[in-house]
Amino acid sequence: MAKEEVYDRWHKSRPKKGEAECPEHPGLVPSADHDIERRWQARWRDTNGRQRSRNFPKNRKTAAIAFQRSQRAAVEEGRDPFPRRSHRQSGVPTLGEYVETFLARHEGRKGTIDTYKCRLRAQVVPVLGQRPLSDARRGEYRDFFATLKKGGMPDMTRIAVKKSLSVILSMAVEDGYLDGNPVAGIRLPQGKSRGARLTWEHVVALAQDIYPRYEMLIWYGSLQALRSMEAVAVRRLDMESVPGRQAVVEQRQRGRVGPLKTTASESPLAVGSFLLHKYQEHMVRWRAPLPAAELRKRERRGLKPIPQEYDHLVTVTKRWTPVQQSALSHALDAAKEKARARGIAVPEEMTFRDLRHFADAVLIASGLEPRKVQARMRHGHLSETLDTYGYLVWEVDWENAPASFVELYGLTAPAGLPEAALVPAAERVRGRENA
């Protein structure tokens, strides 16, 4: 059976001899409609033999072929192709109704579904929610994104809204409500990256100035490249079960245990002697069992007994509860202010995520093999490791590092490291004392 094709409105199907070829598409002759948005035309004849057609955007050739095939099949079966009846009569839901259907059917992680809820219900539904799903056209979605920009929404946030909207419209295509995704192909400006370029001086200052109970979180982010809620979920068992290794098995969202972001995230990490020493100091200072007097005091105050699972966490609040995102963000902001007051210019826009990007950048700049960097970052693809914020650190200020490369990362030092990266922590301390 011959391959089904659709009519190309950009080029002539029967060019005259001697007509100039298309400069963009050799072998074809441009038509008067060249470069129009709706390039592909699906054609079929209805049950009365009348020619019918429908145009599709330049990036939707596959959708045009599928639509043409479905209409021709309908004619052969005696059905009315492309029936002309109102959307509400044909059972097409509104975009707002379909959002709820989409959220109920989505099988992603709870955090992913919550993100979709926030973006779709807060941004899309109030503007387009009452429109029948198949009514809104591509131009209306462009206008919608332009309105978000006029309202002050950053470009990166608009891109996130567009991605969420594109996912739901792709499901609508699968359900037969749409012939193609009208958002696909709409390009939005990327905007400036919000990543902050950190140095060892910044990281050490943050560790010194943050609320002391949370110091370990700074080292987990900058050395182990843990995400914020992975860092607060580290347990004693994760640090002590295998000597020289740290397990990463879960994260905590709003204090509750949750799965990691991806399957690649569940990977053991090498632990350097510097982090191990910090861990031991932390456990002695902050995680010693509460004395009987303190437990009686908690009971008199009506506080609930400390759940056993909280007792296993490495980092907890002063109330012995899991650290939540809001508390960590507040503590990090306070640490940045203290550091800046001391004359250390920690970027104001810096977030905990930038500690993870810092780890990526330092390892890449140090010349570590890309696959080893990928293993440390727990990325599913090497391209993600090399493309994500590896450019933020051009030259590492090893003279401000708290220890040598080996002590910090528990990895063999790559060749070519500067001498400052090989100075052990003990010598650095003596040098500062002598100075």
Side-chain angles (χ1 to χ4, degrees), residues 18-57:
E19 287 188 296
E21 287 189 356
C22 178
E24 299 179 25
H25 308 90
L28 299 175
V29 176
S31 69
D33 291 331
H34 196 279
D35 283 336
I36 62 174
E37 174 64 25
R38 294 185 173 273
R39 174 180 178 179
W40 305 106
Q41 187 176 83
R43 294 179 172 181
W44 72 98
R45 292 187 179 278
D46 61 18
T47 52
N48 297 321
R50 184 174 55 193
Q51 180 73 50
R52 300 278 293 278
S53 65
R54 181 171 178 178
N55 300 327
F56 287 77

Side-chain angles (χ1 to χ4, degrees), residues 265-430:
S265 298
E266 190 171 344
S267 177
L269 302 172
V271 178
S273 59
F274 175 83
L275 182 64
L276 182 59
H277 178 67
K278 288 290 183 181
Y279 167 74
Q280 292 167 345
E281 286 186 338
H282 174 89
M283 297 303 290
V284 170
R285 182 178 181 186
W286 300 113
R287 299 302 279 122
L290 285 176
E294 182 64 24
L295 293 174
R296 288 195 295 270
K297 186 186 295 184
R298 288 178 59 89
E299 187 176 351
R300 287 197 301 270
R301 290 177 178 176
L303 299 177
K304 296 180 180 179
I306 300 172
Q308 189 174 8
E309 64 168 322
Y310 295 175
D311 190 48
H312 293 325
L313 294 175
V314 171
T315 306
V316 293
T317 68
K318 64 181 180 180
R319 297 184 180 276
W320 287 58
T321 57
V323 181
Q324 298 201 30
Q325 184 70 63
S326 57
L328 177 56
S329 298
H330 179 75
L332 192 58
D333 289 341
K336 287 189 290 184
E337 290 183 9
K338 289 182 180 179
R340 294 176 69 84
R342 293 195 290 118
I344 301 175
V346 179
E348 292 185 8
E349 69 276 15
M350 176 263 175
T351 65
F352 191 92
R353 186 173 181 81
D354 290 308
L355 294 173
R356 175 174 165 83
H357 299 156
F358 170 77
D360 187 358
V362 169
L363 294 175
I364 292 175
S366 298
L368 193 67
E369 295 175 23
R371 288 293 180 187
K372 292 184 178 179
V373 182
Q374 179 189 3
R376 189 66 163 212
M377 300 304 296
R378 296 168 296 125
H379 285 149
H381 303 282
L382 181 59
S383 59
E384 186 179 1
T385 302
L386 299 178
D387 294 343
T388 305
Y389 293 93
Y391 62 89
L392 284 175
V393 174
W394 299 100
E395 185 174 347
V396 183
D397 58 330
W398 282 110
E399 63 278 4
N400 293 316
S404 69
F405 180 92
V406 175
E407 290 174 323
L408 291 170
Y409 294 103
L411 302 170
T412 303
L417 278 177
E419 289 186 11
L422 306 177
V423 179
E427 291 187 19
R428 293 172 188 264
V429 171
R430 285 197 295 269

Side-chain angles (χ1 to χ4, degrees), residues 139-152:
E140 293 180 76
Y141 287 112
R142 287 187 182 276
D143 294 341
F144 167 67
F145 295 129
T147 301
L148 295 180
K149 186 176 184 66
K150 291 178 181 177

